[in-house]
Amino acid sequence: MRKIVVAATILSLLLATPALAHFQMIYTPESALVQGSEISLDLVFTHPFEAGHTMDMGQPEQFFVVRKGKKTDLLPTLKPMVWTSLTNSGAAYETTFKLRGMGDNAFCLVPAPYYEKQEDIYIQQITKLIVNTGGFPTDWDAPVGLPAEIVPLDKPYALWTGNVFRGVVLSDGKPVPNAEIEVEYLNHAPLPEKNAFAKEAEVEAPQDAFVTMGIRANADGEFVFGIPRAGWWGFCALGVGPAKTFEGKELSQDAVIWVQARDMK
């Protein structure tokens, strides 16, 4: 009888656990720089609103930057590190990159598929981050050609609080009608010098639906989201990539983009 009671208790706790979204991050403190300089880049697979469980990343398949149509491989520059969340620590990667001149730099990560044991599926979140120098626009709205990709329709580094962010979801370069998109706020400040999240949260969610917000693209694969607060926001289009299986199991090949909003002061 005791075993039955314990099992039922564990099951009820699992069912009561909020369904927080996984988000692959490429983090750097500033996405709009006045001039070129060396920036840090942290690659972390985590739950950004809660600074929750951080998953172990495998060796990424690709990591590169596109600037004025030229692609530069950054995979050899990645160094393994351990990132600490509020609940655990997970394997992650870091590097630095010297930004030169003016224009947009599209950093793109194709991580190794991650096995999510609870769902018995693999997840591969193909992630993009655009950093600008000097305010001179070049590549921010150009598709990179990733299997799963969100192409911004607004400059993702030039957003005031209260602006909207628009994007179009692509799979192999074609729009994905009615794509399901999850949105999360980076609610605990990353501390790159400690490879960790700050303990203090910026905001409290009144209910779990506000932790991971859900929106849909329209028939042309386009979506709009009003940004209510300054900081980093992640958008993840679920299962839009062409690859559907990996090592005999279901694969969710997602497209992720991060944008940064600022208050008008």
Side-chain angles (χ1 to χ4, degrees), residues 155-208:
K155 291 177 184 173
Y157 50 80
L159 297 167
W160 292 115
T161 307
N163 281 168
V164 298
F165 174 68
R166 300 172 299 150
V168 56
V169 180
L170 302 181
S171 176
D172 265 349
K174 298 179 180 178
V176 182
N178 309 311
E180 180 182 4
I181 301 163
E182 293 182 332
V183 185
E184 279 208 16
Y185 179 60
L186 183 53
N187 193 29
H188 293 253
L191 306 173
E193 69 281 7
K194 296 182 178 179
N195 291 343
F197 287 116
K199 293 182 179 179
E200 299 77 16
E202 297 289 335
V203 299
E204 289 189 15
Q207 193 241 31
D208 290 341

Side-chain angles (χ1 to χ4, degrees), residues 37-201:
S37 62
E38 186 172 86
I39 62 171
S40 62
L41 295 158
D42 294 313
L43 282 51
V44 183
F45 192 31
T46 188
H47 296 81
F49 190 93
E50 301 283 6
H53 185 75
T54 294
M55 285 67 69
D56 288 327
M57 288 182 64
Q59 172 66 38
E61 295 180 0
Q62 300 181 50
F63 184 55
F64 58 90
V65 61
V66 177
R67 173 178 166 78
K68 297 180 180 179
K70 181 183 177 182
K71 179 178 175 180
T72 302
D73 183 15
L74 301 179
L75 200 59
T77 72
L78 292 180
K79 298 177 181 178
M81 57 100 161
V82 175
W83 187 271
T84 300
S85 71
L86 300 192
T87 60
N88 76 322
S89 296
Y93 290 86
E94 63 183 352
T95 189
T96 59
F97 183 74
K98 175 69 174 179
L99 298 170
R100 302 181 187 279
M102 298 192 298
D104 298 320
N105 303 266
F107 293 92
C108 303
L109 170 65
V110 181
Y114 171 81
Y115 179 61
E116 176 50 70
K117 188 175 181 180
Q118 287 188 349
E119 300 178 57
D120 193 27
I121 67 169
Y122 281 92
I123 300 170
Q124 185 180 40
Q125 296 198 333
I126 300 172
T127 303
K128 190 160 70 174
L129 167 73
I130 299 174
V131 179
N132 175 270
T133 53
F136 184 73
T138 53
D139 307 276
W140 66 271
D141 56 350
V144 173
L146 298 165
E149 181 173 3
I150 295 177
V151 175
L153 298 176
D154 302 286
K155 291 177 184 173
Y157 50 80
L159 297 167
W160 292 115
T161 307
N163 281 168
V164 298
F165 174 68
R166 300 172 299 150
V168 56
V169 180
L170 302 181
S171 176
D172 265 349
K174 298 179 180 178
V176 182
N178 309 311
E180 180 182 4
I181 301 163
E182 293 182 332
V183 185
E184 279 208 16
Y185 179 60
L186 183 53
N187 193 29
H188 293 253
L191 306 173
E193 69 281 7
K194 296 182 178 179
N195 291 343
F197 287 116
K199 293 182 179 179
E200 299 77 16

